[in-house]
Amino acid sequence: MSGRQSPIGRLLPDVFRGDPALSIRGDEAEEAWRVVEPVLSAWERGLVPPEEYPAGSDGPPERHAMPERRDELLHEESVMPAG
């Protein structure tokens, strides 16, 4: 054994000490899920298919990153529930 501590072994003591840089508050987790769940739902329903691109690339083609194109691909009323 090299004597090196595992990643979880380094993480847990800081979490137990309450280091806020290593975790999020409950309200932050709720807000994150409020944003993510409609996207996951839209993917499942085929409303906004995930864009595939090669690993290590700059991502999808630039035309998809432009705000006017993004609005065409993602309609808030069809993805985000009202209210």
Side-chain angles (χ1 to χ4, degrees):
M1 197 154 196
S2 68
R4 293 183 62 188
Q5 202 171 30
S6 69
I8 194 72
R10 292 188 307 270
L11 174 69
L12 285 178
D14 290 336
V15 169
F16 292 143
R17 281 192 291 273
D19 185 341
L22 301 173
S23 59
I24 62 173
R25 296 185 324 256
D27 62 326
E28 292 173 314
E30 292 291 328
E31 181 64 10
W33 279 111
R34 186 191 70 76
V35 171
V36 169
E37 282 181 329
V39 174
L40 295 175
S41 176
W43 285 348
E44 287 176 355
R45 295 181 298 168
L47 297 175
V48 182
E51 187 91 26
E52 293 189 19
Y53 52 90
S57 73
D58 289 335
E62 286 185 30
R63 63 187 168 83
H64 294 296
M66 296 184 303
E68 60 274 7
R69 176 66 176 144
R70 186 178 60 238
D71 290 342
E72 292 173 23
L73 294 172
L74 181 62
H75 299 283
E76 187 170 319
E77 65 274 2
S78 66
V79 178
M80 294 288 286

Short mmCIF file of all heavy atoms in Angstrom, two decimals, residues 5-52:
data_model
loop_
_atom_site.label_atom_id
_atom_site.label_comp_id
_atom_site.label_asym_id
_atom_site.label_seq_id
_atom_site.Cartn_x
_atom_site.Cartn_y
_atom_site.Cartn_z
N GLN A 5 -4.22 8.25 0.80
CA GLN A 5 -5.62 8.13 1.20
C GLN A 5 -6.51 8.15 -0.04
O GLN A 5 -6.24 8.84 -1.01
CB GLN A 5 -5.97 9.29 2.12
CG GLN A 5 -7.14 9.04 3.00
CD GLN A 5 -7.28 10.14 4.03
OE1 GLN A 5 -6.93 11.27 3.77
NE2 GLN A 5 -7.81 9.79 5.18
N SER A 6 -7.58 7.38 0.01
CA SER A 6 -8.52 7.36 -1.11
C SER A 6 -9.22 8.71 -1.21
O SER A 6 -9.27 9.47 -0.23
CB SER A 6 -9.56 6.26 -0.90
OG SER A 6 -10.42 6.60 0.18
N PRO A 7 -9.78 9.02 -2.39
CA PRO A 7 -10.50 10.30 -2.53
C PRO A 7 -11.60 10.48 -1.49
O PRO A 7 -11.75 11.54 -0.91
CB PRO A 7 -11.05 10.24 -3.95
CG PRO A 7 -10.11 9.35 -4.68
CD PRO A 7 -9.68 8.31 -3.66
N ILE A 8 -12.37 9.41 -1.23
CA ILE A 8 -13.45 9.54 -0.25
C ILE A 8 -12.88 9.73 1.15
O ILE A 8 -13.44 10.43 1.97
CB ILE A 8 -14.44 8.35 -0.32
CG1 ILE A 8 -15.73 8.63 0.44
CG2 ILE A 8 -13.81 7.08 0.20
CD1 ILE A 8 -16.63 9.63 -0.21
N GLY A 9 -11.73 9.13 1.40
CA GLY A 9 -11.07 9.30 2.69
C GLY A 9 -10.58 10.72 2.92
O GLY A 9 -10.50 11.19 4.05
N ARG A 10 -10.29 11.43 1.85
CA ARG A 10 -9.90 12.85 1.96
C ARG A 10 -11.14 13.75 2.04
O ARG A 10 -11.11 14.78 2.69
CB ARG A 10 -9.04 13.26 0.76
CG ARG A 10 -7.68 12.59 0.74
CD ARG A 10 -6.75 13.14 -0.34
NE ARG A 10 -7.31 13.15 -1.68
CZ ARG A 10 -7.19 12.15 -2.57
NH1 ARG A 10 -6.53 11.05 -2.24
NH2 ARG A 10 -7.71 12.25 -3.76
N LEU A 11 -12.20 13.34 1.40
CA LEU A 11 -13.40 14.15 1.35
C LEU A 11 -14.20 14.13 2.65
O LEU A 11 -14.62 15.18 3.14
CB LEU A 11 -14.29 13.68 0.19
CG LEU A 11 -15.66 14.32 0.06
CD1 LEU A 11 -15.52 15.79 -0.35
CD2 LEU A 11 -16.50 13.57 -0.95
N LEU A 12 -14.42 12.95 3.19
CA LEU A 12 -15.32 12.82 4.33
C LEU A 12 -14.93 13.67 5.55
O LEU A 12 -15.81 14.31 6.13
CB LEU A 12 -15.48 11.36 4.72
CG LEU A 12 -16.37 10.55 3.79
CD1 LEU A 12 -16.43 9.10 4.23
CD2 LEU A 12 -17.76 11.13 3.69
N PRO A 13 -13.67 13.71 5.97
CA PRO A 13 -13.35 14.56 7.12
C PRO A 13 -13.72 16.02 6.91
O PRO A 13 -14.23 16.68 7.82
CB PRO A 13 -11.85 14.39 7.30
CG PRO A 13 -11.54 13.06 6.69
CD PRO A 13 -12.51 12.93 5.55
N ASP A 14 -13.52 16.53 5.70
CA ASP A 14 -13.89 17.92 5.42
C ASP A 14 -15.40 18.10 5.45
O ASP A 14 -15.91 19.12 5.95
CB ASP A 14 -13.33 18.36 4.08
CG ASP A 14 -11.81 18.51 4.10
OD1 ASP A 14 -11.25 18.72 5.19
OD2 ASP A 14 -11.20 18.42 3.02
N VAL A 15 -16.14 17.14 4.93
CA VAL A 15 -17.60 17.21 4.96
C VAL A 15 -18.08 17.19 6.41
O VAL A 15 -18.93 17.99 6.80
CB VAL A 15 -18.23 16.05 4.15
CG1 VAL A 15 -19.72 15.96 4.40
CG2 VAL A 15 -17.94 16.22 2.67
N PHE A 16 -17.51 16.31 7.21
CA PHE A 16 -17.92 16.23 8.62
C PHE A 16 -17.59 17.51 9.37
O PHE A 16 -18.28 17.87 10.32
CB PHE A 16 -17.27 15.02 9.31
CG PHE A 16 -17.78 13.70 8.80
CD1 PHE A 16 -16.92 12.63 8.68
CD2 PHE A 16 -19.11 13.52 8.44
CE1 PHE A 16 -17.39 11.40 8.21
CE2 PHE A 16 -19.58 12.31 7.98
CZ PHE A 16 -18.72 11.24 7.86
N ARG A 17 -16.55 18.21 8.97
CA ARG A 17 -16.19 19.49 9.60
C ARG A 17 -17.08 20.62 9.10
O ARG A 17 -17.01 21.74 9.58
CB ARG A 17 -14.73 19.83 9.35
CG ARG A 17 -13.76 19.08 10.25
CD ARG A 17 -12.36 19.66 10.16
NE ARG A 17 -11.73 19.45 8.87
CZ ARG A 17 -11.02 18.36 8.54
NH1 ARG A 17 -10.85 17.40 9.43
NH2 ARG A 17 -10.50 18.25 7.36
N GLY A 18 -17.89 20.33 8.10
CA GLY A 18 -18.83 21.33 7.59
C GLY A 18 -18.25 22.25 6.54
O GLY A 18 -18.74 23.37 6.36
N ASP A 19 -17.23 21.82 5.82
CA ASP A 19 -16.65 22.64 4.76
C ASP A 19 -17.70 22.86 3.67
O ASP A 19 -18.06 21.93 2.95
CB ASP A 19 -15.41 21.95 4.17
CG ASP A 19 -14.68 22.80 3.16
OD1 ASP A 19 -15.28 23.76 2.61
OD2 ASP A 19 -13.51 22.51 2.89
N PRO A 20 -18.23 24.08 3.54
CA PRO A 20 -19.32 24.32 2.58
C PRO A 20 -18.87 24.23 1.12
O PRO A 20 -19.71 24.14 0.24
CB PRO A 20 -19.79 25.74 2.92
CG PRO A 20 -18.60 26.38 3.54
CD PRO A 20 -17.86 25.28 4.26
N ALA A 21 -17.59 24.23 0.85
CA ALA A 21 -17.11 24.14 -0.53
C ALA A 21 -17.31 22.75 -1.10
O ALA A 21 -17.23 22.56 -2.32
CB ALA A 21 -15.64 24.53 -0.60
N LEU A 22 -17.57 21.76 -0.25
CA LEU A 22 -17.63 20.38 -0.71
C LEU A 22 -19.04 19.83 -0.84
O LEU A 22 -19.23 18.69 -1.23
CB LEU A 22 -16.82 19.50 0.25
CG LEU A 22 -15.36 19.91 0.37
CD1 LEU A 22 -14.68 19.10 1.46
CD2 LEU A 22 -14.64 19.74 -0.94
N SER A 23 -20.03 20.61 -0.48
CA SER A 23 -21.41 20.14 -0.58
C SER A 23 -22.33 21.34 -0.80
O SER A 23 -21.89 22.48 -0.80
CB SER A 23 -21.81 19.38 0.69
OG SER A 23 -21.67 20.23 1.81
N ILE A 24 -23.59 21.05 -1.01
CA ILE A 24 -24.57 22.13 -1.20
C ILE A 24 -25.65 22.02 -0.15
O ILE A 24 -25.89 20.94 0.41
CB ILE A 24 -25.16 22.11 -2.62
CG1 ILE A 24 -25.92 20.81 -2.89
CG2 ILE A 24 -24.09 22.34 -3.67
CD1 ILE A 24 -26.67 20.80 -4.21
N ARG A 25 -26.32 23.13 0.09
CA ARG A 25 -27.43 23.13 1.04
C ARG A 25 -28.65 22.45 0.41
O ARG A 25 -28.74 22.30 -0.80
CB ARG A 25 -27.80 24.58 1.41
CG ARG A 25 -26.73 25.34 2.14
CD ARG A 25 -27.24 26.73 2.57
NE ARG A 25 -28.15 27.34 1.62
CZ ARG A 25 -27.82 28.34 0.79
NH1 ARG A 25 -26.61 28.84 0.79
NH2 ARG A 25 -28.73 28.85 -0.04
N GLY A 26 -29.59 22.09 1.24
CA GLY A 26 -30.80 21.45 0.76
C GLY A 26 -31.57 22.30 -0.23
O GLY A 26 -32.06 21.80 -1.25
N ASP A 27 -31.68 23.61 0.03
CA ASP A 27 -32.42 24.47 -0.89
C ASP A 27 -31.71 24.59 -2.23
O ASP A 27 -32.35 24.71 -3.27
CB ASP A 27 -32.69 25.85 -0.27
CG ASP A 27 -31.43 26.64 0.06
OD1 ASP A 27 -30.41 26.03 0.44
OD2 ASP A 27 -31.48 27.88 -0.04
N GLU A 28 -30.37 24.51 -2.21
CA GLU A 28 -29.63 24.54 -3.47
C GLU A 28 -29.87 23.27 -4.28
O GLU A 28 -30.02 23.31 -5.50
CB GLU A 28 -28.13 24.69 -3.20
CG GLU A 28 -27.75 26.04 -2.62
CD GLU A 28 -26.30 26.10 -2.19
OE1 GLU A 28 -25.81 25.15 -1.54
OE2 GLU A 28 -25.66 27.11 -2.51
N ALA A 29 -29.93 22.13 -3.58
CA ALA A 29 -30.21 20.87 -4.25
C ALA A 29 -31.62 20.88 -4.86
O ALA A 29 -31.82 20.44 -6.00
CB ALA A 29 -30.06 19.70 -3.28
N GLU A 30 -32.58 21.38 -4.10
CA GLU A 30 -33.95 21.47 -4.61
C GLU A 30 -34.03 22.34 -5.86
O GLU A 30 -34.69 22.00 -6.83
CB GLU A 30 -34.90 22.03 -3.53
CG GLU A 30 -35.11 21.10 -2.37
CD GLU A 30 -35.92 19.87 -2.75
OE1 GLU A 30 -36.78 19.96 -3.63
OE2 GLU A 30 -35.67 18.81 -2.12
N GLU A 31 -33.34 23.48 -5.84
CA GLU A 31 -33.35 24.38 -7.00
C GLU A 31 -32.67 23.73 -8.20
O GLU A 31 -33.13 23.85 -9.33
CB GLU A 31 -32.67 25.71 -6.64
CG GLU A 31 -32.65 26.71 -7.76
CD GLU A 31 -34.02 27.19 -8.22
OE1 GLU A 31 -35.03 26.91 -7.54
OE2 GLU A 31 -34.09 27.86 -9.26
N ALA A 32 -31.57 23.02 -7.95
CA ALA A 32 -30.88 22.33 -9.05
C ALA A 32 -31.80 21.32 -9.71
O ALA A 32 -31.89 21.25 -10.94
CB ALA A 32 -29.61 21.66 -8.53
N TRP A 33 -32.52 20.52 -8.89
CA TRP A 33 -33.44 19.55 -9.46
C TRP A 33 -34.63 20.22 -10.15
O TRP A 33 -35.13 19.72 -11.15
CB TRP A 33 -33.92 18.56 -8.39
CG TRP A 33 -32.90 17.49 -8.18
CD1 TRP A 33 -32.13 17.30 -7.08
CD2 TRP A 33 -32.51 16.49 -9.13
NE1 TRP A 33 -31.29 16.25 -7.29
CE2 TRP A 33 -31.49 15.72 -8.53
CE3 TRP A 33 -32.91 16.17 -10.42
CZ2 TRP A 33 -30.89 14.66 -9.18
CZ3 TRP A 33 -32.30 15.10 -11.07
CH2 TRP A 33 -31.30 14.37 -10.44
N ARG A 34 -35.07 21.38 -9.64
CA ARG A 34 -36.16 22.11 -10.29
C ARG A 34 -35.77 22.48 -11.72
O ARG A 34 -36.59 22.45 -12.63
CB ARG A 34 -36.51 23.37 -9.50
CG ARG A 34 -37.75 24.09 -10.04
CD ARG A 34 -37.94 25.45 -9.42
NE ARG A 34 -36.94 26.41 -9.86
CZ ARG A 34 -36.92 27.01 -11.06
NH1 ARG A 34 -37.85 26.73 -11.95
NH2 ARG A 34 -35.98 27.87 -11.37
N VAL A 35 -34.50 22.80 -11.92
CA VAL A 35 -34.01 23.18 -13.25
C VAL A 35 -33.75 21.95 -14.11
O VAL A 35 -34.09 21.91 -15.30
CB VAL A 35 -32.73 24.03 -13.12
CG1 VAL A 35 -32.08 24.27 -14.46
CG2 VAL A 35 -33.05 25.35 -12.43
N VAL A 36 -33.17 20.90 -13.54
CA VAL A 36 -32.73 19.74 -14.30
C VAL A 36 -33.89 18.80 -14.68
O VAL A 36 -33.91 18.26 -15.78
CB VAL A 36 -31.65 18.97 -13.52
CG1 VAL A 36 -31.35 17.62 -14.15
CG2 VAL A 36 -30.38 19.81 -13.44
N GLU A 37 -34.85 18.61 -13.79
CA GLU A 37 -35.91 17.64 -14.06
C GLU A 37 -36.69 17.92 -15.35
O GLU A 37 -36.97 17.00 -16.10
CB GLU A 37 -36.85 17.52 -12.87
CG GLU A 37 -36.25 16.67 -11.76
CD GLU A 37 -37.17 16.52 -10.57
OE1 GLU A 37 -37.95 17.45 -10.28
OE2 GLU A 37 -37.09 15.47 -9.93
N PRO A 38 -37.06 19.17 -15.65
CA PRO A 38 -37.76 19.41 -16.92
C PRO A 38 -36.91 19.07 -18.15
O PRO A 38 -37.43 18.62 -19.16
CB PRO A 38 -38.09 20.90 -16.88
CG PRO A 38 -38.06 21.27 -15.44
CD PRO A 38 -37.03 20.38 -14.82
N VAL A 39 -35.61 19.28 -18.05
CA VAL A 39 -34.73 18.93 -19.17
C VAL A 39 -34.70 17.42 -19.35
O VAL A 39 -34.85 16.91 -20.47
CB VAL A 39 -33.31 19.48 -18.94
CG1 VAL A 39 -32.35 19.01 -20.03
CG2 VAL A 39 -33.32 21.00 -18.86
N LEU A 40 -34.54 16.69 -18.26
CA LEU A 40 -34.55 15.23 -18.34
C LEU A 40 -35.88 14.72 -18.89
O LEU A 40 -35.92 13.81 -19.73
CB LEU A 40 -34.29 14.62 -16.96
CG LEU A 40 -32.91 14.89 -16.36
CD1 LEU A 40 -32.84 14.34 -14.94
CD2 LEU A 40 -31.81 14.32 -17.22
N SER A 41 -36.96 15.33 -18.45
CA SER A 41 -38.29 14.95 -18.94
C SER A 41 -38.43 15.23 -20.44
O SER A 41 -38.96 14.40 -21.18
CB SER A 41 -39.36 15.71 -18.16
OG SER A 41 -40.63 15.44 -18.68
N ALA A 42 -37.94 16.37 -20.87
CA ALA A 42 -38.00 16.71 -22.29
C ALA A 42 -37.20 15.72 -23.12
O ALA A 42 -37.62 15.32 -24.21
CB ALA A 42 -37.49 18.13 -22.51
N TRP A 43 -36.03 15.31 -22.63
CA TRP A 43 -35.24 14.31 -23.34
C TRP A 43 -36.00 12.99 -23.43
O TRP A 43 -36.05 12.38 -24.49
CB TRP A 43 -33.91 14.07 -22.64
CG TRP A 43 -32.90 15.17 -22.84
CD1 TRP A 43 -32.95 16.19 -23.73
CD2 TRP A 43 -31.69 15.35 -22.11
NE1 TRP A 43 -31.84 17.00 -23.59
CE2 TRP A 43 -31.06 16.50 -22.61
CE3 TRP A 43 -31.08 14.65 -21.07
CZ2 TRP A 43 -29.84 16.97 -22.13
CZ3 TRP A 43 -29.87 15.11 -20.59
CH2 TRP A 43 -29.26 16.26 -21.12
N GLU A 44 -36.60 12.57 -22.31
CA GLU A 44 -37.34 11.31 -22.30
C GLU A 44 -38.51 11.34 -23.28
O GLU A 44 -38.82 10.33 -23.91
CB GLU A 44 -37.87 11.01 -20.90
CG GLU A 44 -36.80 10.57 -19.94
CD GLU A 44 -37.35 10.38 -18.53
OE1 GLU A 44 -38.54 10.68 -18.29
OE2 GLU A 44 -36.57 9.94 -17.67
N ARG A 45 -39.16 12.50 -23.40
CA ARG A 45 -40.33 12.62 -24.29
C ARG A 45 -39.93 12.93 -25.73
O ARG A 45 -40.79 13.03 -26.60
CB ARG A 45 -41.27 13.70 -23.77
CG ARG A 45 -41.88 13.31 -22.42
CD ARG A 45 -42.83 14.35 -21.89
NE ARG A 45 -42.10 15.59 -21.67
CZ ARG A 45 -42.67 16.76 -21.44
NH1 ARG A 45 -43.96 16.88 -21.39
NH2 ARG A 45 -41.94 17.83 -21.23
N GLY A 46 -38.64 13.10 -25.98
CA GLY A 46 -38.17 13.38 -27.34
C GLY A 46 -38.42 14.80 -27.80
O GLY A 46 -38.35 15.09 -28.99
N LEU A 47 -38.74 15.70 -26.87
CA LEU A 47 -39.01 17.09 -27.25
C LEU A 47 -37.74 17.84 -27.62
O LEU A 47 -37.75 18.69 -28.50
CB LEU A 47 -39.71 17.83 -26.09
CG LEU A 47 -41.08 17.31 -25.70
CD1 LEU A 47 -41.59 18.05 -24.47
CD2 LEU A 47 -42.04 17.46 -26.87
N VAL A 48 -36.67 17.56 -26.92
CA VAL A 48 -35.38 18.20 -27.17
C VAL A 48 -34.33 17.10 -27.11
O VAL A 48 -33.84 16.77 -26.03
CB VAL A 48 -35.07 19.29 -26.11
CG1 VAL A 48 -33.75 19.97 -26.42
CG2 VAL A 48 -36.19 20.30 -26.02
N PRO A 49 -34.00 16.50 -28.25
CA PRO A 49 -33.05 15.40 -28.21
C PRO A 49 -31.66 15.89 -27.80
O PRO A 49 -31.24 16.98 -28.19
CB PRO A 49 -33.04 14.88 -29.64
CG PRO A 49 -33.58 15.98 -30.46
CD PRO A 49 -34.46 16.80 -29.58
N PRO A 50 -30.95 15.09 -26.99
CA PRO A 50 -29.58 15.49 -26.63
C PRO A 50 -28.72 15.55 -27.89
O PRO A 50 -28.88 14.73 -28.79
CB PRO A 50 -29.10 14.39 -25.69
CG PRO A 50 -30.19 13.41 -25.56
CD PRO A 50 -31.34 13.84 -26.40
N GLU A 51 -27.87 16.51 -27.95
CA GLU A 51 -26.98 16.69 -29.10
C GLU A 51 -25.70 15.89 -28.87
O GLU A 51 -25.05 16.05 -27.84
CB GLU A 51 -26.64 18.17 -29.24
CG GLU A 51 -25.87 18.51 -30.47
CD GLU A 51 -26.78 18.88 -31.63
OE1 GLU A 51 -27.89 19.34 -31.38
OE2 GLU A 51 -26.33 18.71 -32.77
N GLU A 52 -25.37 15.00 -29.78
CA GLU A 52 -24.15 14.22 -29.65
C GLU A 52 -23.02 14.90 -30.41
O GLU A 52 -23.25 15.51 -31.46
CB GLU A 52 -24.36 12.81 -30.18
CG GLU A 52 -25.34 12.02 -29.33
CD GLU A 52 -25.40 10.56 -29.71
OE1 GLU A 52 -24.47 10.07 -30.37
OE2 GLU A 52 -26.39 9.93 -29.34
#
